[in-house]
Every structure is written in structure tokens, then in C-alpha cells.
Amino acid sequence: MRRRTGVLWIGRLFAALAALLLACGAAGARTGQISLTVVGDKEMAEELKQLSEDLDKDQPLSGDALSLLQAAQTRRARIASALRSRGYYDSRVVATVGNQPVDEASALDAIDSQPETAKIDFQINVATGPVYRVVDLEIDGPKDVVDYPGLDRSKLALKPGQPADAATIINTENQILDQVRNHGYALAKVARREVVIDHATREARVTYHLQTGPTATMGPVRFSGTDKVDTTYLQKRVPFKQGEPYTPDKVSALRDKLTALGVFSAVRIKPATQLDAQGELPIDVSLEDRPSHSIGFGAAYETILGFSANAYWLHRNLFGEAESLRLSAIVNHIGQGAIPGDLGYGFRADFLKPDWWVAGQDAVASAQALREVYPAYTRKAVLFGAGLNRILTPHLRVSGGLSYEASQIEQSGTTAYYQLFGVPLSATLNEANNDLEPTRGYKFVLNLTPYADLEHGNALFTIAKLVGTTYLDVSGDGRSVIAGRAAFGSIPGGTNAGVPPDKLFYAGGGGSIRGFTYQSAGPRDAFNNPVGGASLVEASLEFRQRIGESFGAVVFVDAGGAYSETLPNFAEMTPRVGTGVGVRYYTSFGPARLDVGFPLNKRAGDAPFGIYVSIGQAF
């Protein structure tokens, strides 16, 4: 009994000591705040206030008196450094606490004299003074390199008369090196950068001392880090020949060619720091393999068409040369009728062999079985295709192939059978800056497919469609973008009676005219069912605004329609117009979108609105 009492007594003693230590620690922890006052240049004042707010979030003032004082001194130094970096060399920054300068010993007394619970207020007063400007820019180096046309100074960010901004001065150094390296000087460097400040005239003179080194040629490329991809094959992907004149663009092209394979999680390129005996620049490439297999799932929703779900399995390196096999499945029309009788589904296999026969040419093959349930028709089909995709330039791609499909299509109570042999051709000109989230540039896609209907006397018809998109970055930082889209399609000489229903043009839906149900913005039969057309015209305009880091909003207007004749006849139907709003949630694999569209000139049977949920922008 005594032993148990002793143990309890010792436990209570330790608990009391711990509580006392915690109380002492809590008493020693104090908090502070910065009160910033700026006079002078208004734009600089706003930048300093934003800097102070960011530091408050990232490095809040807390701790004992000495810690608070040191943090305030650091904050003052950061503000003074920011002023000098923007060319304000006559600025004054004064920091006090309790009217005592933070550099004086009395500042500690001023803090200690305040109640323990009080928030310590540090006053930082800033006078920006005038900005110093660059009066002279010199580049010291070989005259045939640093003078025009060797070096085009009009393309440099820093020019005489501009503020002596540190970021601009450093950026200009990089621009000088980029231009010089483009002339083959792979090892060029700025040995010394001088910025001489004249306080009497408030002027700055900037001199870059350039060392070009010898001209270089492209050297051997050595791969390491991969144990899944054949490095002999990777040598075929190298977009230059050994001994060619050196340019940085060729190194960037090498990175792009390797990344485009999709088999590496990291591509690190490290050019050598010196040339070899042949005057060539060896390049070491360190690679990290991605897992060979991956799976994915997705879902979407559209009014009338209902929910859809999809999944895929991918092998991205079948035989060691980045050959890929993708197996995918989709189920749609969920919730729009009986299950399974009214469901749509599809199963597809896609194979790709990169660099088949020649570099930059991919061989592709596909097989598909599907059932489609749309307002215009219900279709069962099997499809096979094979072809070649070729990169002609970094922005221009073409493709061609052969296709065969056998289908059974039910429309308005009538069932028809088709066997189609096709020659799909396409060309893509892509000058947009990004595939997932473009903010500037443009893109054109032309698709042309001649068909022979083997089931109906080898009847011939051709489907042509041109789609163009453009993007304007109105804010300059990609956060406010105006996006436009236009599409035109035609079946030359085609009529609705001679072309399978699934090959006709339809308008309406999330990727066409939002606010109208898919296939509804076009010709209809006597029972108000869509029947498709021999021509198509569409136009869309959308304003996209980022909100914070992960969210965005859009406002859009879409217009167009499908028409019975080879060329759109607006006397048949005025273009349908829809408008609406949407929200975006941005992820690493593209934005998730929710759009709500409203028809402005709907016809009998049209829904009052449409809701569209999917991954990726509308265009």
C-alpha cells in the first residue's frame, strides 16, 4: 500500500512540473505585428504592402522579446532590399518599437515594458525617394559577337532610360547569353556583371563582361537511368546529328522528343561543361522510368444524354520501344431509360508504335465495338482502323489511314445495315501554347474522309470538317482569356438519304451549342426527331477568368446548326444561339468543368436549359 501511494505522489509531482514548464513557455511566447507606412511612389508602395502581407502569412512574428526584435530587423532588411532591387537607391526605411529604433538596445526594454498579453506593434516608415535609371548599357566581348547582327540589342529587356531594376538587369543577362549561344557558343557566360550607381545624378551604368568560349558542335548523347526502354531506340529519337552546329533549341527539342514518349517521369539533360577534343559538346541525359501500367476512370453528365462512366487500362511500353496499348470501356445514357436495354456502351483497343519506319512517324491501329443511343438513332457497330501519324514540323501534323466498319442503325422504326470502307485523312496546325489549358495562340484541324458503302452498291461520299480555335491572353498572365471557336463541315454532293445517319452532321451539346440538346440544333422529321444534315456551321466565344489558384469562371455564347444541304441554308433554319455560365476546378490533368447553357431561340421540344459536366475545356 505504501509503494502504491509513493508512485501516485511521484506521478503527481511530475505532472505539476510539466504544467509549470508549459505555463512558463506560454508566458514567454509573444506575438507582434508590422504597421507599414510608405510615402513616395504609389506603385512601389503597393508592392511593399503586398510584400509585407505575404511575409505576415509566411513568417508571422512570434516568440520571446529578442525573437520579435530580430524578426522586425529582418523585415526591415527585406523591405530595404526590395527597394534597392527596383532602383530606389535613395530610399529610407526606419523601423521602431515604442518610439525606439529596432537597432538600439532600448528596443528590448520597450518590448519588455508592455504587458505580456499585448501584441507588440512595430512601426516601419518608408520614403521611397526617386527611382534611379539606366543611362548606359555596355556589353564587353568580341565585337563580331556583341555588335549587330551578332547580338540584337533591341530584343533585350533593359534599355537606357529604364529604371535600374535588378530583375530586369538579371533577365537581360540571360537574354544576352541566349542570343550568343544561338550562334554556337555553347559555353558562353557573363564572367562579371557591374552596376555602377551615381548618387549625384541618380543614374546607373550597367556592364556585362562576356566570355564566349569557342564555337561548339552537337556532341554524343549518353542515356542513363532507364532499364525499361531500349537506349538504342532512344538514340533514334535524338533530333540532331553529331557534329551539327550547336544551338540551345536542339537541346530543347531533345527534351521534348523524350518527354513526348510518355514513358519517363523525369528527363534531366546536362550538357558537359567543356568541349571534347573534336570541339563537340557531349550531352548526358538522366531518365526515370514511369510505371509500365496505369488505369484510370472518368465520369460525365449532360442533360438528356444522362450520365456516363469510363475506364481504361494502359501499357505504355510493350516491347521496350515505347509501344503503347490502351484498352478502354464506356457506358453512357445512364438514367435515361431501362437498364440494360437503353444503355450505350463501347469497348476499344488502341495500339501505337512510335517512330515506325522513320523518326517522327507513328503507326496506329484500333478496334472497337459499340452501341450508341442518341435521339436521332440507335447504332450497333464494330470498327477497325490502321494508319500513320507524321510530324512534319513542331506545329504541323498529318495523318492518313484505312478504316472498315460494319453497323446496324435503327432510325424512326427502320433498321438499316452498312459496311463502310474509309480513308481518313487529317492535318493539324497547332500554334497554341498549351494542349490542356491554352491561353494564347491558335489551332486548326482539318478532317477529310472519303467512304465507300459496300452494302449499298459501293455508293461514295466524303465528309469534310474544318475546326479553328484561337486564344487571347487579355491579362498577360493567363488568368483572363478570351477563347473563340469556329467550325464548318460539309458532305459534298451528299444527301440525307444517301449517307448513314451516324455520318451526318449534328449540332447541339457540350462541345457544340450549349443550351441545346445534342443533335437537336438541326433538321427534324415530322415527329420532331433529329435527322442530321449534310453541312454544319458553329461559332463560340468564351471568356475565362481564373479565381485564386484552383477555381475559375466562364461566360459563353454559342451559335450554329446543322443543315440539310451541302452548304448551310439559313432560310431553312436560323442559327440556334445558346448562352450561359460555368465554373472550373483546375487539376494537374486539366480543368473539371460545369457549364449551364440556356437556349435563346429554342424550338418546340427543346429543353429550357442544359447542364454539362466533364473534364477539359469546351474547346
Side-chain angles (χ1 to χ4, degrees):
M1 189 69 180
R2 289 179 181 175
R3 180 176 298 174
R4 183 178 178 184
T5 302
V7 170
L8 288 174
W9 181 83
I10 293 173
R12 289 171 182 169
L13 177 61
F14 275 112
L17 288 173
L20 179 61
L21 289 172
L22 287 173
C24 292
R30 308 190 65 170
T31 60
Q33 64 183 12
I34 299 294
S35 297
L36 180 65
T37 303
V38 183
V39 295
D41 185 86
K42 292 182 179 180
E43 184 176 344
M44 192 66 216
E46 291 300 320
E47 290 189 25
L48 292 178
K49 289 177 181 177
Q50 184 62 53
L51 171 64
S52 184
E53 291 175 5
D54 293 341
L55 291 172
D56 285 338
K57 294 176 184 178
D58 298 336
Q59 303 170 13
L61 274 65
S62 64
D64 57 20
L66 181 58
S67 297
L68 288 177
L69 187 62
Q70 291 173 338
Q73 292 169 346
T74 301
R75 188 72 59 88
R76 180 198 58 186
R78 288 287 301 274
I79 291 173
S81 177
L83 285 160
R84 288 193 300 273
S85 72
R86 295 301 303 273
Y88 293 91
Y89 290 95
D90 279 345
S91 60
R92 295 180 65 248
V93 182
V94 178
T96 61
V97 57
N99 293 323
Q100 302 300 316
V102 295
D103 289 330
E104 301 292 338
S106 56
L108 270 177
D109 296 332
I111 296 173
D112 289 334
S113 66
Q114 299 188 39
E116 289 290 336
T117 57
K119 197 168 191 176
I120 307 302
D121 184 44
F122 293 90
Q123 297 284 335
I124 298 183
N125 296 301
V126 177
T128 65
V131 64
Y132 283 41
R133 297 187 178 276
V134 175
V135 69
D136 189 31
L137 171 62
E138 293 291 336
I139 304 175
D140 177 31
K143 293 191 68 65
D144 61 331
V145 176
V146 301
D147 290 343
Y148 186 84
L151 197 151
D152 188 351
R153 301 195 182 204
S154 67
K155 295 181 179 180
L156 301 180
L158 186 65
K159 295 177 176 62
Q162 291 184 336
D165 183 274
T168 305
I169 293 172
I170 295 172
N171 184 37
T172 298
E173 177 177 319
N174 294 329
Q175 291 174 338
I176 292 170
L177 291 175
D178 287 343
Q179 287 196 44
V180 172
R181 288 168 181 164
N182 273 326
H183 291 294
Y185 296 96
L187 304 180
K189 64 180 181 179
V190 172
R192 190 171 76 258
R193 180 180 66 244
E194 292 181 350
V195 181
V196 179
I197 301 299
D198 189 334
H199 289 277
T201 61
R202 292 170 179 166
E203 294 174 341
R205 287 175 169 80
V206 182
T207 302
Y208 301 94
H209 297 276
L210 177 67
Q211 291 182 357
T212 62
T215 56
T217 55
M218 305 304 296
V221 178
R222 299 182 289 256
F223 295 100
S224 64
T226 178
D227 56 5
K228 296 181 179 180
V229 182
D230 186 352
T231 56
T232 302
Y233 162 69
L234 293 180
Q235 289 291 344
K236 299 178 183 178
R237 295 282 291 184
V238 176
F240 53 81
K241 294 181 179 179
Q242 190 171 334
E244 287 183 0
Y246 169 88
T247 65
D249 289 344
K250 293 176 182 177
V251 179
S252 298
L254 173 61
R255 183 187 306 277
D256 293 341
K257 294 280 283 185
L258 296 173
T259 302
L261 288 174
V263 296
F264 302 119
S265 59
V267 176
R268 300 181 181 89
I269 297 180
K270 185 179 181 181
T273 56
Q274 60 184 11
L275 306 183
D276 61 17
Q278 290 74 39
E280 296 177 341
L281 184 70
I283 298 175
D284 290 321
V285 182
S286 175
L287 304 168
E288 291 183 17
D289 291 317
R290 293 179 67 182
S292 297
H293 305 91
S294 64
I295 59 174
F297 306 91
Y301 173 80
E302 185 169 333
T303 307
I304 303 300
L305 296 182
F307 290 94
S308 68
N310 61 79
Y312 72 86
W313 173 89
L314 174 67
H315 193 309
R316 54 175 56 91
N317 188 30
L318 272 177
F319 307 119
E321 294 187 358
E323 306 91 343
S324 66
L325 175 65
R326 179 187 173 102
L327 305 178
S328 59
I330 184 170
V331 179
N332 53 29
H333 211 246
I334 301 172
Q336 302 303 110
I339 296 178
D342 290 321
L343 289 179
Y345 54 80
F347 304 94
R348 183 179 177 112
D350 292 280
F351 174 78
L352 181 144
K353 165 63 177 172
D355 300 306
W356 184 76
W357 198 257
V358 294
Q361 177 173 277
D362 300 339
V364 295
S366 65
Q368 187 176 11
L370 58 81
R371 181 177 190 263
E372 295 175 329
V373 181
Y374 291 128
Y377 59 82
T378 297
R379 174 189 181 218
K380 295 179 181 179
V382 292
L383 304 90
F384 302 93
L388 299 174
N389 300 332
R390 184 159 181 77
I391 301 174
L392 299 182
T393 73
H395 302 285
L396 179 61
R397 297 169 177 260
V398 296
S399 67
L402 302 174
S403 68
Y404 170 81
E405 58 184 271
S407 61
Q408 171 190 310
I409 301 178
E410 180 182 344
Q411 185 179 44
S412 301
T414 301
T415 300
Y417 298 88
Y418 300 91
Q419 291 189 70
L420 301 181
F421 177 78
V423 184
L425 307 170
S426 73
T428 301
L429 176 63
N430 189 353
E431 295 285 351
N433 65 326
N434 188 283
D435 290 332
L436 292 178
E437 182 63 20
T439 58
R440 63 180 183 273
Y442 59 88
K443 181 179 181 180
F444 288 101
V445 179
L446 174 65
N447 290 306
L448 183 70
T449 306
Y451 284 103
D453 186 350
L454 308 181
E455 191 74 24
H456 297 88
N458 295 324
L460 302 177
F461 63 94
T462 299
I463 300 175
K465 186 176 181 181
L466 175 65
V467 179
T469 54
T470 185
Y471 309 92
L472 177 63
D473 183 1
V474 294
S475 63
D477 59 1
R479 297 185 63 83
S480 302
V481 176
I482 296 175
R485 175 183 179 271
F488 173 77
S490 179
I491 304 176
T495 64
N496 291 19
V499 178
D502 65 296
K503 297 298 183 281
L504 295 171
F505 289 112
Y506 299 90
S512 175
I513 307 169
R514 286 163 286 187
F516 290 86
T517 303
Y518 177 59
Q519 298 185 333
S520 68
R524 300 181 183 182
D525 63 16
F527 301 99
N528 214 30
N529 297 314
V531 296
S535 61
L536 171 80
V537 61
E538 294 173 337
S540 298
L541 189 65
E542 185 170 280
F543 177 71
R544 302 170 181 172
Q545 178 61 55
R546 293 289 292 260
I547 302 172
E549 291 299 318
S550 302
F551 290 92
V554 303
V555 180
F556 61 84
V557 58
D558 303 330
Y563 295 85
S564 300
E565 301 177 15
T566 299
L567 295 177
N569 181 1
F570 297 137
E572 174 188 344
M573 179 193 72
T574 57
R576 303 293 96 186
V577 181
T579 187
V581 297
V583 296
R584 303 289 184 267
Y585 179 76
Y586 293 92
T587 69
S588 60
F589 51 84
R593 71 179 174 111
L594 167 63
D595 289 341
V596 181
F598 302 90
L600 298 184
N601 54 347
K602 65 180 182 177
R603 296 179 289 178
D606 286 333
F609 62 89
I611 298 175
Y612 314 93
V613 181
S614 66
I615 298 295
Q617 296 285 9
F619 55 89

